[in-house]
Amino acid sequence: MKAVVMAGGWGTRLRPLTCNIPKPMVPVGNRPILEHVLSHLSRHGVEEALVTLHHLPQVVRDYFGDGSRVGLRLRYFVEDVPLGTAGSVKSVEPELDGTFLVVSGDILTDMDVTALVDFHRARGAAATVGLTAVDTPLEYGVVVCSEDGRIARFVEKPSWSEVFSDQVNAGIYVLEPEVLGLFEAGRVFDFSQNLFPMLLEAGKPLFGYAPGGYWCDVGNHSQYLQAHIDMLEGRTRFEVAGSEYRERVWVGPGVDIAPGVELTGPLLVGEDSYVGTGARVEGPAVLGRGVVIGGQASVKRSVVGDHCRVGRLAEIRGAVLGRGVRVQNRASVFDGAVLADEVDIGEETVVKPGVKVWPGRRVAPETVLGDSLVWGQAWGYGVFSEAGVKGTVNVDLCAETAARVGSVFGAAQAAGARVVVGVDPAPAPRLLREALVSGLGLAGCSVWNVGELPAVAVRYAVRALGAEAGVHIGRPGAGSDEETDGQVAIRLLDPAGNDIPRAAVRRLEKDLGGEDFRRAPPDRLGATRFVPGIGEAYLAHVEERGRMLARRGLVVAGAYGHPWLEENARGLWRGLDVGHIPLSAPLRAEPVGELVRREGAALAFAANETGEVVTLVDNKGRLLSKAQAWLVLSEAALVREGTPLVVPSDLPRAVAERLAALGGRPVPCRATRAETMARMSEVERDSGPALFHQSEMVYGGLLGVVGLLDYLVDIDSTLAELVDASPLGEWVHVRVPCPWELKGRVMRLLLEAPGPPNAGARGGGAGRARRERARAGGGARAGGGARAGGGARAGGGARVGGGARAADTGAGGGAAEGLQAETPDGRVLVLPDPERPAVHVYSEAPTMELAEELAGLYTRRVQELVRSRRET
């Protein structure tokens, strides 16, 4: 059998280790990853490998030659332009005359390839995808299969809300040559994003199989270090390249161990290395070829590359050193630090944890290196949240962080782009603004400083000024259940003033991780200027939209989470001729309800810290749930039959049903704010003019309140009457703690269950879970009619685990999100939390008892799965 081995990767996330070599040539256990891959294929009967190359191809060819060192015939094919995974394989199509393997040359695995091929042939598959289970599936393609192994659904590089399994595409495929005939040569084409969906749509036999065995993507530096540890501790079937010097200590030929050396396994010392008198090397650790460890030096849990020199009394702790690094006497390199090829660290220098140093850099003696050279430190999951880049001031978010965010966001814009920047009136946002503005300017962006305003006004400024992007720095604006003291969020906005979409976030994270982005030349640096009057323009905009309210005798009660809004609210309502009763946040339902009834107010509201989202109390004094508020605010935006109105998946289906009954067209979308904002902008762009768009109602803060009052006046109704006319049944939300590394596994096991979990006891069972009840009107059963998150079953009809299925955003929504279970009594939706170690259980039913029972069943099931995994 032939194999196509894709070995052209840049290894961006492994920089700076991959600055001088392609990722497949990065050594693990003193052998390139690609050598492990090719040797493994040879052991499974593969006779010839066609190796596709792009980045630094000569490095691969020089090392492997004709392939005799790995027991294969090797032929090389160099791509001048990257064509994607499937496009790369297409380029060697004339060489493929039968069933063949496709293997990623930068993944370390000892999977049973023979079993994978046998499975493929037994099923008569056109394509079979090798599968493996991972703790954090965000960087991979998540796959769910029916009972016979046929692939029913997959999502490439999902967000947490789209994670419905921990089983992912392992980058190993068995294919029949005819699948390459489905697309033309010379175009960029990917297996997961293009070819596999095409096979599914065409009804071709596409299967998945998990043959077991070790698998590691080696995608970042912690995974790189862990791969060495796994090999040394026997978690793989790869041989350690050396003879056993003592128990769990392997050495290559020509190794010289001086007297008084302490060697603690598991440990590999490469050939021709020297360990000096009194030195201590504590495993798991790997020393490359020709390494010199000076007297009384200490190396622990680290990877030290070929021909490195570690001086006397130096310390290496949990670090990765590339080829030819020099760490001079009494210097220290700490956890997570990465030193690329030929770096020279001066005497008595301290390299702090997480620092990365690019190839050939020299650090002066007696330096404390707390930041990376040249560009900055790598970023991982959790930097970007729903609120943007969020963290505690001077812990997660400091001046250096803000400057890097400004640099990478500015580099993502066209040269000379105009970026609006506004902040909350507090010391931390003001100081972080200066650093972020510097980064934007150094990237060549012009900065328009609009002063100290809430996020809602800065979003308006981006649109009003016609800027290419915007930034707001301030409080996160989270729900009342989340602690935000001491935290600041940097919100990055697109030209419409919306949160930047997830695809843009992923690109920014990649750029920050790779630390390779545009810097403006000295004569193209951006300038900063202050733009006055934006706050006044925003208030005038809101006031102009509410002119119909004048002389209607309306009274509202309002609370404001932002000091600027509080200062200006009285003047706004006076200009609209609307009576105003100031309240303090957060709203407490009972006293506010009493005040509303006593004063005859049309409604009460509380704007959050960003001024974008409002909590509503109707004129009967009832606190509206999130679902009911979404419904009435969206209803106010319904101006004609068929008006598209967005409904996120974490709202009850009854919201979409009611909007459809009113003549709207529900448009489902994923349950993230950025996704919702983007979807609203998309449908509003195509739906024509409106008095108030849904985005203005739901995310416009005061503008939404004004629009709701305008609607109530126009239809001669009250908010309470709207609520009573739109009963939503009952909706229960439970947040269940779940470790990050178990989320994918929990979702998969829920999906694979034969039906709803143990339906014994009613209610209860939430344990430490936080429960949020949402009562909105009452009575009507949530079922039938338009669906907000329904759509076809995963895989177009294939049964996936019985009672539960991967939820679908439905027509126009695209990708799967979470898990949905249907029962005769209602519906359950389970979504992983994108920012916390938790999953969310939502249940919808005609009565609170049934809704709590459904939520309790799935809550207990999640807790059982978490507990069983921890116990094992």
Side-chain angles (χ1 to χ4, degrees), residues 729-744:
E730 303 293 353
W731 181 245
V732 169
H733 169 213
V734 183
R735 191 172 74 208
V736 190
C738 178
W740 288 101
E741 67 275 10
L742 296 186
K743 286 183 183 179

Side-chain angles (χ1 to χ4, degrees), residues 9 85 151 275 302 529 620 649 843:
T85 54
I151 290 178
V275 184
S302 298
R529 68 185 182 95
K620 288 186 178 180
S649 63
S843 67

Side-chain angles (χ1 to χ4, degrees), residues 745-765:
R745 183 175 188 271
V746 165
M747 294 300 293
R748 172 172 61 84
L749 293 177
L750 284 174
L751 190 60
E752 291 175 352
N758 178 15
R762 289 178 175 266

Side-chain angles (χ1 to χ4, degrees), residues 202-326:
K204 300 288 186 181
L206 175 63
F207 286 81
Y209 179 64
Y214 179 81
W215 186 89
C216 181
D217 176 36
V218 198
N220 55 46
H221 298 109
S222 62
Q223 289 174 342
Y224 179 64
L225 184 57
Q226 187 63 47
H228 286 83
I229 295 169
D230 292 341
M231 183 178 293
L232 293 174
E233 294 187 341
R235 300 191 186 104
T236 77
R237 289 192 285 266
F238 297 117
E239 292 183 3
V240 178
S243 56
E244 200 157 5
Y245 173 74
R246 62 177 66 155
E247 185 180 3
R248 300 210 307 162
V249 175
W250 296 270
V251 299
V255 169
D256 186 1
I257 308 295
V261 169
E262 295 181 27
L263 300 179
T264 305
L267 171 65
L268 170 62
V269 183
E271 62 185 71
D272 298 326
S273 293
Y274 170 76
V275 184
T277 303
R280 289 174 292 124
V281 184
E282 182 177 325
V286 172
L287 307 183
R289 301 173 181 86
V291 169
V292 175
I293 305 296
Q296 298 179 280
S298 174
V299 178
K300 292 184 179 181
R301 199 179 175 85
S302 298
V303 175
V304 179
D306 294 349
H307 308 297
C308 287
R309 298 291 186 270
V310 177
R312 293 180 64 256
L313 296 167
E315 293 180 280
I316 311 293
R317 297 282 185 275
V320 176
L321 278 58
R323 183 184 178 90
V325 172
R326 304 290 190 272

Side-chain angles (χ1 to χ4, degrees), residues 617-632:
V617 176
D618 71 13
N619 53 298
K620 288 186 178 180
R622 298 176 297 186
L623 181 67
L624 273 62
S625 69
K626 174 185 173 182
Q628 191 66 66
W630 191 283
L631 175 56
V632 297

Side-chain angles (χ1 to χ4, degrees), residues 276-401:
T277 303
R280 289 174 292 124
V281 184
E282 182 177 325
V286 172
L287 307 183
R289 301 173 181 86
V291 169
V292 175
I293 305 296
Q296 298 179 280
S298 174
V299 178
K300 292 184 179 181
R301 199 179 175 85
S302 298
V303 175
V304 179
D306 294 349
H307 308 297
C308 287
R309 298 291 186 270
V310 177
R312 293 180 64 256
L313 296 167
E315 293 180 280
I316 311 293
R317 297 282 185 275
V320 176
L321 278 58
R323 183 184 178 90
V325 172
R326 304 290 190 272
V327 179
Q328 307 293 356
N329 298 341
R330 295 180 297 280
S332 301
V333 183
F334 289 114
D335 291 348
V338 179
L339 309 182
D341 297 351
E342 308 299 333
V343 166
D344 190 340
I345 302 298
E347 289 193 358
E348 300 187 29
T349 284
V350 175
V351 179
K352 287 192 170 184
V355 167
K356 294 193 293 188
V357 183
W358 250 241
R361 300 304 185 265
R362 184 185 182 94
V363 181
E366 301 182 24
T367 298
V368 177
L369 187 61
D371 205 356
S372 297
L373 293 177
V374 173
W375 313 127
Q377 68 184 21
W379 290 57
Y381 299 117
V383 174
F384 286 87
S385 70
E386 276 281 313
V389 180
K390 183 178 71 173
T392 303
V393 177
N394 272 342
V395 177
D396 309 299
L397 271 180
C398 53
E400 296 88 345
T401 309

